[in-house]
């Protein structure tokens, strides 16, 4: 399994086009924000506050961290599809290694790639925020971001693997990658804040595990700028802003605690990992 992980990681970073297209959704989001959407989401009550740009830049970068762990793991699983189409996987299944171990090798390499790319994105995000007048995250917050990267990538790797396990051609995989790359910005509340969407769509988003990753990233990264932007503001105003921007989820009028989102991610990771290994192992026996 370890050999397969090292092989897949080398193949991924050797293919520059795969790396680029894995980050394409992130590039598009940054472009849209910089060219068109930068000032659209700022509530009129906050305009003119010096720290509002720091707040919104932190909010955007937090969303990007939740997106990159989806798109890069999706790109990493392209190696598995390529092995299928070129029938290289038959050599693996002819070896004494268990099928579940081979499946775990693909999942492990995609997880590692997702973590590496997310860490790189986190560094670039911090550089972007500070270049725009914001501040560096405290050491404790950086550790929390690192922990969230591991958790989010674990969940997204399992989910993406389960989806990809049904594909056997580059065409179907490419189509799915395009669709996911397009939808992920909406499902994590980046293209449009969740408060702008109908109640039914908000419910769907709250059931979507990556949106919980986005929520947790935002809670950590906007903590400092929100203290400045909302200094002395009424509690109801702060909560309304958090719900509107997807920094806080409300279910039945009650605020969803951060640990609930963490549990959603952990349970999703376990369930989809089990389903992925089961599906990959079963299909290879046919």
């Amino acid at each position: 399994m370890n050999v397969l992980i090292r092989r897949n990681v080398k193949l991924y970073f050797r293919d520059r086009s795969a790396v680029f297209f894995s980050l394409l959704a992130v590039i598009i989001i940054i472009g849209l924000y910089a060219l068109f959407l930068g000032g659209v989401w700022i509530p009129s009550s906050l305009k003119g506050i010096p720290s509002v740009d720091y707040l919104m830049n932190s909010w955007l970068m937090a969303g990007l961290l939740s997106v990159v762990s989806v798109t890069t793991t999706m790109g990493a699983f392209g190696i598995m599809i390529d092995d299928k189409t070129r029938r290289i996987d038959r050599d693996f299944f002819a070896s004494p290694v268990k099928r579940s171990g081979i499946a775990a090798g693909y999942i492990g390499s995609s997880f590692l790639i997702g973590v590496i790319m997310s860490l790189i994105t986190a560094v670039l995000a911090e550089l972007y925020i500070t270049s725009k007048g914001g501040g560096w995250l405290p050491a404790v917050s950086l550790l929390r971001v690192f922990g969230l990267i591991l958790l989010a990538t674990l969940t997204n790797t399992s989910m993406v693997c389960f989806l990809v396990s049904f594909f056997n051609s580059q065409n179907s995989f490419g189509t799915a990658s395009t669709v996911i790359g397009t939808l992920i910005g909406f499902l994590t509340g980046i293209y449009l804040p969740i408060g702008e969407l109908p109640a039914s769509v908000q419910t769907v988003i709250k059931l979507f595990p990556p949106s919980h990753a986005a929520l947790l990233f935002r809670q950590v990264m906007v903590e400092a700028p929100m203290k400045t932007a909302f200094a002395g503001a009424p509690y109801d105003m702060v909560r309304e802003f958090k719900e509107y921007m997807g920094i806080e989820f409300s279910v039945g009028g009650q605020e969803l605690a951060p640990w609930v989102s963490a549990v959603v991610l952990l349970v999703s990771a376990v369930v989809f990992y089990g389903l992925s290994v089961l599906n990959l192992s079963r299909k290879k026996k046919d």
Side-chain angles (χ1 to χ4, degrees), residues 252-285:
Q254 297 295 321
E255 176 185 350
L256 202 66
W259 68 265
V260 176
S261 294
V263 169
V264 169
L265 293 173
L266 281 172
V267 171
S268 299
V270 172
V271 170
F272 282 103
Y273 175 80
L275 291 174
S276 298
V277 172
L278 179 64
N279 198 34
L280 288 171
S281 300
R282 177 182 61 81
K283 289 174 74 67
K284 291 307 174 183
K285 294 179 182 179

Side-chain angles (χ1 to χ4, degrees), residues 5-203:
I5 290 176
R6 288 196 296 270
R7 170 213 180 238
N8 292 344
V9 171
K10 289 179 180 178
L11 286 177
Y12 175 82
F13 285 106
R14 189 181 299 168
D15 187 350
R16 295 180 180 178
S17 62
V19 176
F20 172 78
F21 284 107
S22 294
L23 296 173
L24 185 58
V26 174
I27 296 171
I28 291 174
I29 290 171
I30 293 177
L32 287 173
Y33 181 78
L35 297 176
F36 305 108
L37 302 176
V40 173
W41 299 325
I42 302 176
S44 57
S45 58
L46 295 182
K47 290 183 177 179
I49 296 178
S51 62
V52 69
D53 290 333
Y54 177 22
L55 171 61
M56 296 309 299
N57 289 332
S58 299
W59 177 87
L60 175 69
M61 292 300 114
L64 289 182
L65 283 176
S66 65
V67 168
V68 74
S69 62
V70 176
T71 58
T72 55
T73 53
M74 188 81 180
F77 278 115
I79 297 171
M80 184 175 73
I81 301 300
D82 189 54
D83 287 345
K84 285 183 180 181
T85 56
R86 297 169 60 188
R87 299 185 177 181
I88 296 175
D89 59 341
R90 293 190 177 186
D91 294 334
F92 298 147
F93 289 107
S95 69
V97 180
K98 292 183 179 180
R99 289 179 172 86
S100 59
I102 295 173
Y106 284 115
I107 295 173
S109 60
S110 297
F111 170 75
L112 183 58
I113 289 168
V115 170
I116 292 172
M117 298 302 290
S118 294
L119 289 174
I120 294 174
T121 303
V123 172
L124 295 177
E126 280 295 282
L127 291 174
Y128 177 84
I129 292 171
T130 54
S131 70
K132 296 295 183 177
W136 292 96
L137 280 174
V140 174
S141 296
L142 286 173
L143 289 175
R144 291 167 65 189
V145 168
F146 176 70
L148 289 175
I149 285 175
L150 296 178
L151 179 57
T153 306
L154 181 65
T155 302
N156 293 331
T157 301
S158 299
M159 291 182 61
V160 170
C161 183
F162 178 66
L163 176 64
V164 172
S165 66
F166 292 98
F167 301 143
N168 293 298
S169 70
Q170 285 290 355
N171 288 336
S172 59
F173 174 75
T175 301
S177 299
T178 301
V179 172
I180 291 175
T182 303
L183 291 178
I184 191 64
F186 290 101
L187 293 174
T188 52
I190 295 179
Y191 292 146
L192 281 175
I194 187 174
E196 287 284 348
L197 301 172
S200 58
V201 179
Q202 291 186 30
T203 301

